[in-house]
Amino acid sequence: LEGAEVGRDDRGLAEADAVLLWASDDDGAITQRLAALGAARAIVAPASPPAEALGEPHTAVWLAEALRPLGIEAPATRDALSTCLSPLRPPASSQEQAEAHWRRWGLTERVVALHPGSGSPAKRWPAERFAEVARLARDAGYQPLLLAGEADAPALAATQAALAARGVSAASAQGLPLEVVAALLLRC
């Protein structure tokens, strides 16, 4: 929010009943900036549970907890939260595209999808480990499918090389639209 300016019509956030932002705000600077932009009520909540929480609560439950100050009672467990949400389904055209890819790659019903990329090389699991998971999956009767975004080309290439060194083949998809990836994942 550094340098954020009030909107073109100078109302900024004044028309909002509340502003909810998931971010770290240990010093209160974000909350102050939201107030300066006109937010009558600003709720700034940490974007993820503390590291020592070890996966509990589920991140979706953690994020939903931030709604409580607004009077919205969030379910306390992932299972309870999932009953409140409608299942997401990709559009029929995306499902058709996924089916065409599936057939072209010769995939069966026993497929495990792996995503060797990440937003940062520092957070990326080594390609050799993805290759080993793919080998174990293949040995258990599954076909590995590598999914990668446009920015994942180096990770995908490294994983493909590690797979080749182990004699494992895998179908690969890079840069597919998110809806098609979702349709592919529904089949795994």
Side-chain angles (χ1 to χ4, degrees):
L1 294 173
E2 184 80 22
E5 296 181 17
V6 176
R8 287 186 293 255
D9 58 10
D10 293 325
R11 289 181 296 197
L13 299 174
E15 291 186 4
D17 293 330
V19 175
L20 172 58
L21 178 67
W22 287 277
S24 177
D25 191 25
D26 295 334
D27 62 0
I30 293 174
T31 302
Q32 290 173 0
R33 187 66 185 136
L34 289 171
L37 290 170
R41 185 169 186 198
I43 300 165
V44 181
S48 58
E52 62 272 9
L54 299 175
E56 290 297 328
H58 187 276
T59 301
V61 172
W62 175 264
L63 295 173
E65 281 292 319
L67 300 171
R68 286 193 190 276
L70 299 173
I72 301 170
E73 290 301 315
T77 66
R78 183 181 68 169
D79 290 340
L81 183 61
S82 68
T83 64
C84 301
L85 305 173
S86 299
L88 296 175
R89 294 281 176 223
S93 61
S94 297
Q95 292 182 41
E96 291 165 5
Q97 290 176 48
E99 172 64 28
H101 288 301
W102 200 269
R103 280 194 312 270
R104 186 172 63 253
W105 296 326
L107 298 175
T108 65
E109 293 304 313
R110 294 180 51 103
V111 174
V112 62
L114 303 169
H115 179 260
S118 73
S120 162
K123 297 188 307 184
R124 189 176 302 143
W125 211 34
E128 293 75 22
R129 292 197 181 153
F130 278 105
E132 184 60 15
V133 169
R135 185 193 65 76
L136 292 169
R138 182 207 57 196
D139 291 352
Y142 290 86
Q143 293 175 282
L145 168 62
L146 301 177
L147 298 173
E150 292 297 334
D152 299 326
L156 178 61
T159 303
Q160 289 169 323
L163 285 168
R166 287 170 173 73
V168 177
S169 62
S172 298
Q174 184 176 13
L176 294 176
L178 182 59
E179 298 87 358
V180 176
V181 172
L184 286 169
L185 291 173
L186 282 174
R187 301 186 60 139
C188 294

